Amino acid sequence: MNDDRNRSWPGQEPDAPRRAQPGPRPEDPGPAWPGEEAPRRPRGDSAQRGTPPRGNPRGGGSPEWPSGDEGGPQWPGEEPARRPQRARQQGMPARRPVPPPPGQRPQQGPPASPPEGFRQPRGGRPVPPPGREPDLITHHAHNGTDDFGRDPYDDGYDDAAFNEFADDVEPQDELDEKGKKVLTPAQRKKRRWKIARRVAYACVGLFFVVPAIAFVITYFLVDVPTPDSIKSLQNQPITYYDASNQVMGRELPPGGDRQLLKPGEVPEVVKHAVYSAEDATFETNSGFDVTGILRAVWNQVSGGQGGGSTISQQYIKQATQNDAPTLTRKWTELAKSFKMNNQQSKEEIITSYLNIVYFGRGASGIQAAAKAYFNKDAKDLNASEASLLAGLIQGPGRSENQDYAQRRWAYVMDQMVANKWLRADERATFQYPTPIPKNANKEQNSGKLTYQVQQRIKDELAAKGYDENKLFSSGAKIYTTIDPAAQDAAEKAAADGMKGQTDENLLNALVAVDPKTGGVLAYYGGPEIVKDANGKDQIAQDRANQARNPGSSVKAFDLTAFLKMGKGLGETFDGSNNRVLGGRTVRNAGDSASCGKDCTVAKAMEISANTVFYDMVLNVTKPSRVAEAAKEAGVKVSPNGKSILYTDDNNISLGGGGTAVTPEDMAAAYASFASGGVYHEQHFVSKLTNNQDEVEFDQNNIKTNPAFDDDAAKSQQIAGNVTEALVPVIDHSKLKCPSGHECAGKTGTQQYTAKADDPASYKDRNAQTWMVGYTPSVSAAVWVGGDGNKPLHDPKNKPIFGATIAGPTWQNFMNLYLKGKPAEKFDKVQAIGKDVNDVTTTQSKPSDTPSITTTPTTPESSESTEPSDTETNTSKPTRPTRPGPGETPTFPLGNTSGGGGGVAKPPGAGPG
């Protein structure tokens, strides 16, 4: 095919007139090649079209012409069909000229002009001139390409003008009115099937291939719940035991009661009942049930009820606490369920599920449910009872609805028969089981677990890293130091001490500590429930854990600091009344004013002479050493405790001002004297285990240390000297030791800080009173006072003192607790420093008329000869107080006075 475009052969004019003449054509002039005939026109359409002979009419070489032995010219119409020429796109550059074949000279003359003597065929087509022999069929020219892989006949121009003469060009398609190809019926059918196949492929990919790939990816990304990961969700009750290993009480977690079972402990009848109620194919499915999912979808569409979740899926939802109605949750739930069934056995999964599922009545887990509904263990349930519990899984909140419970029971029983887990004749013999009344199986506890004790136990464990979540998740068993006998004695003594009292402001607390271990034997912080301003019940404050001014009971620490410096009980101070010390006047009260100029430390302790101890701390030990001795004995200050030992002024010497100590700390600190100078940290918990009895810690194995000196013997000597000084105080305070037991102790009183508008009688009132004492086996602190700075009085409207209510309460407790116990005596130790037995002192006769000071003395009550400690009198300005934890202010914090609560005043009297 000639790819010349709408033009005649180069160098010649078209023979249009001759082509246009009708009639027979004249004979050809003859052969164009010497000695041969003129080429004959091919017959038929090719002759009519005037198709030029085969050859290369371009300027890239001589035209190819058939050899003489071929019997005639070979016209292009006889060649094999060649591909149609591609239309040149707009803007495409022209092709470069094609070089001549190797060994052939470039064509002479104008480009594409035929050789001399060549006669042009009719129709304007050029006749190729004679030249070299044609290339072999293997040459590129016969394959339609040149040596560079290009078609030498494609010059990039549009061949549309010659397409009508080419046999190898398909006819143009017929187009419809929209310019689209008109299809035959067969083509349309083929096209429809093609679209249908593509849609089918897309659906398969969308609904099967893509989800499968996504499921595999999700499978490897998600983590399945393990027993360890859901321990916090499998909360179990905390069980409290007293010192005799008897149950004091149980505390249920927020999710209710739960008692875990191990794999293999769930009976078959219970498992079959749960399978019948929730997932009959559990033993065979892979974690999800396709038919169940389709059934759930149908129920959702049709308005029916029932889901498609398997037991494995329900367990995942319960374990992750995620029940959001989202496709994401369901998708990951399916993946986790499938993965869990590949990693865990069916026995492990069903046991975990039955340990975590809720059955109502505050019971989580099958064991707790069996107890709550039938007061028996899960292993003892029969088919009827198991069916009732299994039926309640879907509606635990309707456990007390008899109609609902009976319908669910009947359904599960029938499903057990349908699944051949129960014979029909057996089913007929079972009747609906009647559960026990709700809360009828509540365990009987000892009643010694008070709310106050429970909270103190939790505070102690939290400080050790065992918070409430850990305790519930492990089903903790807490073995406490509470002695039931001591707790009974404490509660009775506290109640007896308040009998007959008419002052509604009076409150009390009592704490007892074992000197040999530091364990709290008894703890009473006042009544647990009180009435609020509207008459409604509310939880009362724990008075045993609130810091108060200790008054003269702190003088034991003054003495400890003095002894640590090598000073002894035989040292003497001026015990005269109304001494000016540190710029302020300090007075004694009662018979403490008779100590005289040479008052020994031992005598000053017995009569509680304020001037001696104020002088001792101010000029010898300094306040910091007193605070140090108190902390060594067991007083806990912030951040581990609530007590405050204020050392910026000398009021600590008399237990006033900013110094405040809790009853618990006072009992623990005096226990260090009772133990012979050995420090045992006060504690409520002796041992902690989990529900498998694995020990978390054992307080009994904790090493103890000397309290007051690194040398245990030195520490014992210091404690023994303190005890020797405190023994006479008991008798001086009109108290008695338990029969057969030696005891020692110290009273304390803190004066009420009077207000301007108070009655005249209030100036002699006291706000806080104490009695702290011990035997070798028990140390107890009793506090009786008001909630803040309150002027307290006894039934005769007289001021109260440490020996008025607190002292008798302490004595009563010691007698009740130690009754029948072996007799005890303190160890004798060598005196430190100057021995009191080597000193002869002369005491002055008590003054008939006390010295008058700006702060009046407090007269003794008719019931007691307990002297009241004096206050110093200064004219320093007052400053407001800071309230204690959860209460109104009870003492001036950080001031230079020693008074009670409210607005600070010049230092007030400490107890005697």
Side-chain angles (χ1 to χ4, degrees):
M1 174 173 57
N2 191 348
D3 52 3
D4 239 343
R5 287 179 176 77
N6 301 322
R7 60 186 175 87
S8 59
W9 192 262
Q12 298 189 16
E13 293 294 331
D15 195 7
R18 185 172 52 178
R19 286 199 309 269
Q21 293 177 1
R25 294 185 178 89
E27 293 291 332
D28 291 334
W33 295 89
E36 295 196 25
E37 298 181 354
R40 292 173 296 177
R41 290 191 183 92
R43 297 178 182 179
D45 296 338
S46 62
Q48 295 298 327
R49 290 194 307 264
T51 305
R54 185 177 50 166
N56 186 5
R58 300 185 185 186
S62 301
E64 298 178 3
W65 194 255
S67 60
D69 56 357
E70 292 176 354
Q74 297 180 5
W75 294 92
E78 300 175 11
E79 289 182 344
R82 293 184 298 177
R83 62 180 176 83
Q85 298 300 318
R86 183 180 57 190
R88 177 174 299 279
Q89 298 179 2
Q90 184 176 2
M92 180 182 294
R95 290 177 176 265
R96 58 174 179 164
V98 180
Q104 186 173 358
R105 291 181 302 170
Q107 180 177 346
Q108 301 294 326
S113 60
E116 184 179 356
F118 180 76
R119 186 172 53 193
Q120 179 180 359
R122 288 189 180 93
R125 297 293 183 96
V127 178
R132 64 180 179 83
E133 292 293 326
D135 293 337
L136 296 177
I137 196 68
T138 59
H139 290 182
H140 287 291
H142 293 282
N143 293 332
T145 60
D146 58 15
D147 290 337
F148 297 92
R150 299 174 300 185
D151 186 355
Y153 288 95
D154 186 4
D155 59 358
Y157 293 99
D158 188 8
D159 297 328
F162 292 92
N163 282 347
E164 60 176 322
F165 303 105
D167 294 332
D168 57 347
V169 177
E170 295 182 1
Q172 293 183 357
D173 296 327
E174 183 179 357
L175 304 179
D176 60 11
E177 57 185 6
K178 295 182 179 181
K180 296 182 179 179
K181 181 180 178 180
V182 177
L183 302 179
T184 65
Q187 289 175 328
R188 285 195 296 269
K189 182 178 181 180
K190 182 177 180 181
R191 184 175 184 179
R192 284 194 299 269
W193 277 109
K194 183 177 181 181
I195 295 174
R197 285 196 305 274
R198 290 181 176 178
V199 171
Y201 295 154
C203 291
V204 170
L206 181 63
F207 295 105
F208 294 97
V209 178
V210 173
I213 295 174
F215 188 85
V216 171
I217 295 174
T218 307
Y219 179 91
F220 287 103
L221 291 179
V222 298
D223 295 324
V224 301
T226 63
D228 290 337
S229 66
I230 63 170
K231 278 185 178 180
S232 60
L233 298 175
Q234 292 181 330
N235 289 335
Q236 304 167 74
I238 302 172
T239 307
Y240 298 85
Y241 298 88
D242 59 28
S244 59
N245 292 337
Q246 298 300 311
V247 175
M248 295 173 61
R250 296 173 72 245
E251 182 182 1
L252 298 182
D257 196 2
R258 178 182 284 116
Q259 301 172 46
L260 301 184
L261 298 178
K262 298 179 181 177
E265 293 182 348
V266 179
E268 291 297 315
V269 66
V270 172
K271 291 191 286 188
H272 292 158
V274 175
Y275 297 162
S276 299
E278 298 299 316
D279 182 9
T281 65
F282 172 76
E283 294 286 357
T284 57
N285 64 46
S286 298
F288 57 88
D289 185 4
V290 176
T291 59
I293 295 174
L294 296 177
R295 182 171 60 253
V297 173
W298 171 253
N299 288 336
Q300 292 291 328
V301 174
S302 62
Q305 295 181 350
S309 296
T310 63
I311 286 177
S312 300
Q313 292 173 259
Q314 293 182 47
Y315 172 60
I316 295 293
K317 182 169 64 176
Q318 292 277 349
T320 57
Q321 293 290 287
N322 182 10
D323 57 355
T326 61
L327 292 176
T328 302
R329 193 267 298 176
K330 294 294 294 184
W331 179 260
T332 56
E333 188 178 279
L334 288 174
K336 288 181 179 181
S337 177
F338 183 72
K339 189 172 185 177
M340 183 174 64
N341 276 265
N342 291 334
Q343 295 179 348
Q344 301 179 27
S345 67
K346 292 291 186 178
E347 180 66 26
E348 292 174 325
I349 296 173
I350 188 61
T351 303
S352 297
Y353 172 74
L354 288 176
N355 279 336
I356 200 174
V357 70
Y358 182 61
F359 290 89
R361 287 195 175 185
S364 295
I366 189 65
Q367 175 65 15
K371 287 284 188 181
Y373 286 90
F374 303 109
N375 197 25
K376 58 172 62 176
D377 293 327
K379 62 183 179 62
D380 298 325
L381 295 172
N382 58 37
S384 180
E385 295 165 339
S387 296
L388 173 59
L389 295 180
L392 293 176
I393 292 177
Q394 289 192 12
R398 292 187 281 176
S399 61
E400 307 310 308
N401 185 326
Q402 292 299 310
D403 292 338
Y404 174 81
Q406 290 187 18
R407 287 199 309 271
R408 291 295 298 165
W409 170 82
Y411 169 78
V412 177
M413 291 291 287
D414 293 341
Q415 288 298 307
M416 288 186 71
V417 174
N419 287 283
K420 303 186 184 304
W421 287 316
L422 184 69
R423 297 198 311 269
D425 59 332
E426 292 178 323
R427 163 73 173 88
T429 63
F430 283 113
Q431 294 182 351
Y432 176 78
T434 303
I436 64 175
K438 191 175 182 180
N439 296 325
N441 66 333
K442 187 174 182 180
E443 296 185 8
Q444 296 298 319
N445 303 321
S446 66
K448 304 307 175 190
L449 182 65
T450 65
Y451 177 78
Q452 298 163 350
V453 170
Q454 184 182 50
Q455 294 306 117
R456 295 296 294 119
I457 290 172
K458 287 187 174 181
D459 290 343
E460 180 179 314
L461 291 175
K464 293 180 180 293
Y466 298 93
D467 59 14
E468 190 175 77
N469 290 334
K470 285 187 177 181
L471 297 177
F472 280 128
S473 64
S474 65
K477 295 181 179 180
I478 303 173
Y479 295 85
T480 73
T481 60
I482 298 296
D483 186 334
Q487 187 68 24
D488 286 339
E491 294 177 3
K492 187 177 186 309
D496 290 346
M498 300 298 286
K499 284 182 179 179
Q501 299 299 329
T502 58
D503 191 341
E504 61 182 10
N505 292 320
L506 282 177
L507 302 168
N508 64 349
L510 191 157
V511 180
V513 173
D514 185 352
K516 297 180 176 63
T517 65
V520 177
L521 299 174
Y523 190 90
Y524 176 78
E528 295 188 78
I529 303 296
V530 296
K531 299 291 184 180
D532 62 12
N534 299 321
K536 295 182 179 180
D537 289 343
Q538 66 176 4
I539 297 176
Q541 299 181 47
D542 181 2
R543 308 296 177 179
N545 194 36
Q546 292 178 349
R548 314 283 182 175
N549 289 131
S552 286
S553 61
V554 82
K555 290 175 180 176
F557 308 131
D558 296 346
L559 178 58
T560 302
F562 189 68
L563 292 169
K564 288 184 65 176
M565 297 179 66
K567 308 294 184 178
L569 299 178
E571 300 289 343
T572 59
F573 288 84
D574 183 357
S576 302
N577 193 19
N578 295 328
R579 291 187 60 197
V580 178
L581 298 168
R584 61 185 59 182
T585 301
V586 181
R587 68 179 178 87
N588 297 324
D591 61 1
S592 64
S594 63
C595 193
K597 293 287 187 180
D598 296 319
C599 183
T600 63
V601 172
K603 188 61 177 181
M605 181 66 76
E606 179 184 353
I607 65 174
S608 194
N610 289 342
T611 54
V612 171
F613 287 95
Y614 197 93
D615 188 0
M616 177 191 297
V617 175
L618 180 66
N619 297 310
V620 181
T621 66
K622 304 302 181 183
S624 61
R625 286 194 177 95
V626 177
E628 181 183 3
K631 288 187 286 187
E632 290 173 342
V635 174
K636 290 187 175 181
V637 298
S638 180
N640 298 321
K642 292 186 175 181
S643 296
I644 301 172
L645 298 171
Y646 192 74
T647 59
D648 285 355
D649 58 46
N650 204 50
N651 286 318
I652 190 174
S653 62
L654 303 181
T659 296
V661 186
T662 67
E664 179 185 337
D665 280 355
M666 290 301 293
Y670 271 54
S672 296
F673 303 135
S675 66
V678 178
Y679 169 72
H680 302 88
E681 182 179 11
Q682 67 261 39
H683 59 278
F684 287 84
V685 182
S686 61
K687 185 172 67 173
L688 175 67
T689 72
N690 58 22
N691 65 330
Q692 303 298 322
D693 294 324
E694 297 172 340
V695 178
E696 295 288 343
F697 74 84
D698 190 342
Q699 187 77 15
N700 297 319
N701 296 330
I702 295 177
K703 185 178 179 181
T704 58
N705 300 303
F708 309 114
D709 195 279
D710 292 338
D711 185 345
K714 181 67 173 177
S715 181
Q716 182 183 15
Q717 187 181 19
I718 294 172
N721 277 257
V722 173
T723 298
E724 183 178 347
L726 296 179
V727 167
V729 176
I730 301 298
D731 183 64
H732 184 81
S733 301
K734 308 302 182 185
L735 301 173
K736 296 185 181 220
C737 295
S739 178
H741 298 268
E742 289 187 345
C743 63
K746 185 70 183 75
T747 57
T749 303
Q750 183 66 34
Q751 187 177 3
Y752 165 69
T753 303
K755 300 176 183 178
D757 56 348
D758 284 339
S761 60
Y762 280 17
K763 62 184 179 180
D764 295 331
R765 299 287 177 91
N766 296 312
Q768 319 288 337
T769 64
W770 294 79
M771 174 58 199
V772 188
Y774 55 91
T775 69
S777 61
V778 59
S779 172
V782 177
W783 167 83
V784 177
D787 189 4
N789 183 43
K790 301 289 181 64
L792 306 177
H793 62 84
D794 64 10
K796 295 182 179 181
N797 205 27
K798 299 294 184 180
I800 65 171
F801 301 90
T804 302
I805 302 175
T809 300
W810 175 87
Q811 177 178 287
N812 190 15
F813 166 77
M814 299 296 277
N815 287 330
L816 290 171
Y817 177 61
L818 295 176
K819 184 177 181 179
K821 287 183 169 55
E824 302 170 298
K825 292 187 180 296
F826 293 117
D827 294 333
K828 298 302 180 180
V829 296
Q830 184 178 1
I832 297 176
K834 185 182 295 186
D835 192 344
V836 67
N837 297 318
D838 299 335
V839 179
T840 301
T841 60
T842 301
Q843 297 183 6
S844 61
K845 183 178 179 180
S847 174
D848 294 332
T849 304
S851 301
I852 299 176
T853 62
T854 56
T855 302
T857 60
T858 303
E860 295 178 286
S861 68
S862 59
E863 290 79 15
S864 173
T865 58
E866 171 71 4
S868 174
D869 289 347
T870 61
E871 293 182 338
T872 57
N873 183 16
T874 67
S875 59
K876 292 190 176 182
T878 62
R879 59 187 297 183
T881 64
R882 186 174 66 189
E887 62 175 319
T888 57
T890 61
F891 52 88
L893 191 60
N895 58 32
T896 58
S897 65
V903 179
K905 58 167 283 183

